Amino acid sequence: MEQALAEQSVPHSIIRGAYYMSNWDGYLDAVRQSGELATFYPVDFRLPMVAPQDIGQLAARLLTAPTVERGPHFAEGPARYCPADVAAAFSAALDQPVRAVQLPRAQWPATLRGMGFSEAATESFVAMTDLTLQGDFPRPEATERGHTTLQAYVQALVQRAAR
């Protein structure tokens, strides 16, 4: 899609968001009940994450800029986080102990199918996770940094769920 856009005369910008913090939203009920955060990643594996609202703010800035800032815009939050950090954020927000637990790779397909993933989606998710685990994240000098911390994001998630 990016290549096709580059061939057009229409002004455009591309936002490449890091791992969305909102990917952890669906874990809230299970974490609250079990005190465990199941993860496909090693508990100490740091990866770039970004809150959706930070991507929205970047998109708004790009849309309202007087000139188009072409090229990819890499969006990350203020820091890189690991599943243990996510568990700690849930622990603080829920005021209960939460620990991160890595699922063995052999369990990934069955776990995903149990969550309702199709066979094709399961294969894609496993392949995406394997690529992420290689840790070859872009480190462009012009990474756009959001302001939402993981802790603030999870705290807001827990507060919304309590309403």
Side-chain angles (χ1 to χ4, degrees), residues 20-105:
Y20 282 26
M21 291 178 189
S22 57
N23 288 338
W24 301 103
D25 289 9
Y27 291 76
L28 177 57
D29 290 337
V31 164
R32 183 178 283 150
Q33 292 172 8
S34 70
E36 291 187 350
L37 174 77
T39 174
F40 295 97
Y41 302 117
V43 299
D44 61 350
F45 180 73
R46 294 208 171 275
L47 67 157
M49 294 187 199
V50 66
Q53 60 264 36
D54 289 340
I55 290 180
Q57 288 173 356
L58 172 59
R61 183 180 64 74
L62 292 171
L63 284 169
T64 59
T67 59
V68 173
E69 298 179 33
R70 289 188 169 265
H73 298 269
F74 296 90
E76 286 190 32
R80 292 189 173 186
Y81 302 100
C82 65
D85 297 326
V86 178
F90 273 116
S91 182
L94 294 169
D95 194 28
Q96 72 178 57
V98 176
R99 70 183 185 99
V101 178
Q102 183 183 6
L103 294 172
R105 192 185 186 294

